[in-house]
Amino acid sequence: MLRYFLYLLLGVFIVLIGIGIYNVRDRKSGYDYTKTITSPELPIVAGFSKKTINPILIDTWVDADGDARYKPDNGDTYIDKNNNGEFDAVYLAGFHQNRPAQGFHDSLWSRVMVLKNDKVKIGIAVIDAIGFGNDQIAKIREKVQESTDFDYIGVMSTHDHESPDVIGIWGAGIFKSGIDDEYVNHIIDQTALALIEADEKAEPASIIFAQDTSDRLKYLVDDSRKPHIFDPGLRLMRVVSQATNKTLGTIVSWANHPETLWSKNIQITSDFPHYIRQGVEEGVSQNDSTFAEGIGGVALYINGAIGGLMHTSPRFPIPDIQTDTAYKEATFEKAKAQGDHVALLALNLLKDSTLQSYTSTSHNIISKTLYLPVANNKFKLASLLGVLDKGYSSWFSSRSEVAVWKMGPASFIFVPGEIYPEIVNGGIEHPPGGDYDIDPVEIPPLRDLMPGEYKFVFGLANDMIGYIIPKSHWDDEPPYLYLDERETYGETNSLGPETAPILHSELKGLMEQLPTK
């Protein structure tokens, strides 16, 4: 009897091992997006499009009065629309598990820009999502290529903490994935359609760049981790039709976590990026007052260096655009005030009549597929259990990618996660209490290496690998950084301490290949 029991245990063990290996299988074996694209200065042709990526809400909780609730209490019921006896929820990403959405405040979007000339075609997409993995990005590219050829497609996520879980770790519980495969495929399909549509709508255009690299917007962002280094600059790229002189679209690049509505929000929303885009397109107004007219077109919000952690918590006040009110609680009024301030500065910057308009430009893009070691044991376990939807190219080696792009007076770097601002702008230290007693590794700052006048950092680009932390700041064990008693945050959602050195080295190497003029 004991022998048969041991055989049974062995069989169960083999099955579990097999399931784990299947869960961490490489979904895109052999996939590689390493390429170099160059184009001489040629006339600009551009198109924009946007598609909603809203999920379908099925079941919601109701109390005795019929009001939707955050979580069920004793005596509450739920509307079982499928009549399957199960609570079919859309779980919101970020903060913690078991945060089922109960409605919509505003739509989620996939917004895209296509730039092309006689030599190259480039697609830039940004989705209202917590993040999209490299495997999913590959599927978007493949879907587009079924209809038309692109030389390069870059896909960013806004890192929206009030959107559905598309990573897997924010489901009903720690061992339950929050992913709905149909919804993930919906994002892929809608983003591909938007890129194809923007390509078809493309027309001769001109580009205007503007920026404010000062600390003017620093009052809208808090940093919860020392050293307090920010990425406060606002960088803009406006694309205008040559035929009508109307705005086709605008890229707005700033750096802050879209989590102003915080952890108790149960409505699907794109958070403050909704109000930034709305303000740029339709104007900034409140009550009967208009502070700036909108410029139309399709606005894309793309996040910058948000690691560290750049955010706006309920302890951090945001001033109203019109009154003396300072919003601290996590409300839509607070998110609107935050978005209005950014949009207003953007519109005022773009009013400058001295800004140069470019009708032609050159392009130099270098992208590289690379592999990052996964040291995070929680990520490993979640992948083996199938909670984290993540495959590996080899034993816990994560395929990712980086890219650099030089276009006229502007340069762009594509970073696959939440990079700490000190890696981008400088300020890495050798603080006491860190796990590694080393001098800063990720130097010089990445922006110092970027050519051109306008230097855009696109975060959560083409992957979602979590935080990218300077190695000398890595702090997984006590004593904690700066000998603080408080445990640091970031390491628990990072691949590991080698991530930042590898990415910095790779981006540095790619930028050294770009033309300086």
Side-chain angles (χ1 to χ4, degrees), residues 62-67 69 75-77:
V62 295
D63 62 16
D65 298 322
D67 297 323
R69 296 179 58 87
D76 290 343
T77 59

Side-chain angles (χ1 to χ4, degrees), residues 62 64 79 149 169 178 185 250 260 264 280 291 317 333-334 370-371 394 414 419 422 432 444 470:
V62 295
I79 305 171
D149 289 330
I169 58 176
N185 289 332
T250 308
T260 300
K264 292 185 179 180
V280 170
F291 300 95
E333 289 80 7
K334 181 178 184 178
L370 49 81
Y371 299 87
S394 59
F414 295 76
I419 192 166
E422 47 266 44

Side-chain angles (χ1 to χ4, degrees), residues 49-53 108-112 125-128 140 155 187 190-192 194-195 277 298 300:
S49 182
K50 62 180 181 180
K51 299 288 183 183
T52 57
I53 52 171
L108 306 178
W109 295 92
S110 176
R111 293 165 175 254
V112 310
V126 56
I127 59 177
D128 287 323
I140 292 173
V155 182
I187 295 175
Q190 289 292 84
T191 304
L195 284 161
R277 297 183 305 223
V298 177
L300 283 67

Side-chain angles (χ1 to χ4, degrees), residues 286 317-327:
Q286 186 166 291
I318 297 295
D320 186 81
I321 195 78
Q322 184 179 32
T323 69
D324 294 331
T325 302
Y327 301 102

Side-chain angles (χ1 to χ4, degrees), residues 311-341:
H311 70 314
T312 309
S313 72
R315 72 185 181 194
F316 192 81
I318 297 295
D320 186 81
I321 195 78
Q322 184 179 32
T323 69
D324 294 331
T325 302
Y327 301 102
K328 289 192 73 174
E329 296 299 318
T331 63
F332 283 100
E333 289 80 7
K334 181 178 184 178
K336 181 180 186 304
Q338 191 172 36
D340 282 349
H341 282 285

